[in-house]
Amino acid sequence: MAKPKNKKELLQTPKGMRDILPHDFLYWKAIETKAEDIARSYGFKPIRTPHVEKTELFGLTLGETSDIVEKQMYAFKTRGGDALVLRPEGTVPIMRAYFEHGMHTWPQPVMLYYSGSFFRHENPQRGRYREFGQFGVEIIGEESGLADAYIIRVFALILQEAGFKKFTVHINTLGDKECRPEFRKELVAYYRRKVNSICKDCKRRLKENPLRLLDCKNPMCVEIRADAPQMMSYACPSCRAHFKTVLEFLDDFEIPYTLDPHLVRGLDYYSRTVFEIFTDPDAKEKPEKKSEETPASAAEEPEKKAGQNEGRIALGSGGRYDTLAETMGDRKAAGVGGALGLDRIVDELKERKITPFKEKAPVVFLVQIGAQAKRKSLVLFEQLRKSRMGVAQSFSKDNLRAQLELANKLGAAFALIIGQKEALDGTVIVRDMGSGTQESVYQKKVLDHLKKKMKNG
Ligand SMILES: [Zn+2]
Ligand SMILES: [Zn+2]
């Protein structure tokens, strides 16, 4: 094994990875808890799949020429010779699990939610990490456009409850096997005529993945895109009707949306509905300056901040995947789903100074002076914990004043003080942190005493 150049490197996360420290973790936990509560009450059930899957599963389903499969997968050979990857997204593993466990024989649709880490080897940018957290929901076994709107509704509720006041759903239809080929043909014909004015990547996309032409952020290509054919004009009657249903339900749910004919998403498995949810930059306290003229390096094409679209930031996305099951082994199952990007949601909340949780102050702080008091106070501490009264203590500070200062800092209503004398005679001093008054109480009775005091306010 290669030795690190210097030991300092050992003390750094790998490139594009990061630690979530205690204070940030509270944001993550709060969002996940809200998301789970809402998903559960809307009928979704939890599922957890492995972080590792077979490599070929994603090649078949996401498309061999998709950016993820071509460039971004953490693929490796195990000691036993299996070709595996760290999962780059959540829908494919869940569809795999759906068939592996015979969920197609359960009452349909099957509604699942998940939360966890996913991995893509991308160029690290602000707000984009190589290990990233997603909260996702899937409805499998349902063709109706109601399911599409239902997914978006659940995301909208989660974002609202997390504290986002303004966001917009960008939505488009990609058609299906009936109508997309015609659109694709026209799209290719259009871009062939403009081939000298598109970027290098788009020249490649034109051959391999023409839908992605619409996704290019290069200003040159954005200009050409304006007159490109739009899928809606080619949608067959059933795709049209489906899209109309989705939009009608969004109207009923009072979810703001924008029709975005250039929204395509990067994966092969999407059909019909695709969507992305953007925050409104106006909602920010300090709008960021756009830095479009500062590409990261001369070699790269200029690109905006990860996930940005005209200054908006994508918090979530998804779509319908009615043909995914077929690519996985001649199965049939309609489905729709999506995921919220937890990293970006947390970053945006912090930037907006929105705290999605309350840090509860302990009611009681246990002050212990001397070794004997420390031993005695453990029993009392456990009683208080069991009573669900918020209780805190400090193991390392032995001095009365330092411990009272900490109790004050944490916002405790009472300090319980056990010194040498109290440890011997089984009492405890109850100090009201507000008024500073103190009284001596038997340890056995302290719980009742505190409850009474709290009731009397
Ligand atoms: Zn381009
Ligand atoms: Zn169609």
Side-chain angles (χ1 to χ4, degrees), residues 38-56:
I38 292 168
R40 250 201 300 265
S41 55
Y42 273 74
F44 292 87
K45 302 271 192 289
I47 186 167
R48 196 171 275 180
T49 63
H51 284 82
V52 173
E53 295 275 354
K54 290 178 184 158
T55 307
E56 56 185 347

Side-chain angles (χ1 to χ4, degrees), residues 104-261:
H104 57 291
T105 65
W106 297 6
Q108 302 294 301
V110 173
M111 298 166 65
L112 300 167
Y113 75 83
Y114 62 88
S115 186
S117 278
F118 297 85
F119 304 85
R120 289 185 201 171
H121 196 274
E122 297 183 89
N123 281 333
Q125 301 172 60
R126 214 188 124 238
R128 187 176 279 183
Y129 305 94
R130 288 179 172 177
E131 176 176 359
F132 53 97
Q134 286 196 332
F135 179 86
V137 287
E138 314 283 353
I139 300 179
I140 307 179
E142 179 57 60
E143 280 179 46
S144 156
L146 170 59
D148 311 40
Y150 206 76
I151 297 275
I152 295 171
R153 161 108 162 137
V154 164
F155 285 166
L157 289 171
I158 294 169
L159 293 175
Q160 267 159 9
E161 290 206 7
F164 290 98
K165 288 192 190 77
K166 279 187 172 178
F167 50 84
T168 308
V169 178
H170 282 223
I171 192 164
N172 189 21
T173 181
L174 296 181
D176 60 4
K177 279 186 298 195
E178 297 301 314
C179 51
R180 201 193 308 176
E182 180 66 18
F183 166 63
R184 203 180 142 114
K185 219 173 80 192
E186 290 299 318
L187 193 70
V188 170
Y190 172 82
Y191 275 97
R192 279 228 177 94
R193 291 198 294 274
K194 314 268 178 187
V195 73
N196 293 325
S197 332
I198 57 177
C199 75
K200 194 175 89 237
D201 278 338
C202 279
K203 288 194 175 93
R204 186 175 51 81
R205 288 183 187 122
L206 184 54
K207 286 199 197 91
E208 294 172 350
N209 204 342
L211 247 51
R212 296 288 328 250
L213 285 161
L214 298 171
D215 215 14
C216 187
K217 305 286 187 290
N218 190 308
M220 214 160 65
C221 304
V222 169
E223 213 179 297
I224 285 175
R225 186 179 73 180
D227 294 320
Q230 300 187 356
M231 180 60 224
M232 256 320 274
S233 328
Y234 297 85
C236 66
S238 63
C239 284
R240 227 170 248 274
H242 187 274
F243 197 44
K244 195 164 161 258
T245 309
V246 178
L247 299 183
E248 279 167 359
F249 277 114
L250 290 182
D251 285 332
D252 289 347
F253 295 151
E254 294 179 343
I255 294 169
Y257 63 84
T258 304
L259 298 181
D260 185 346

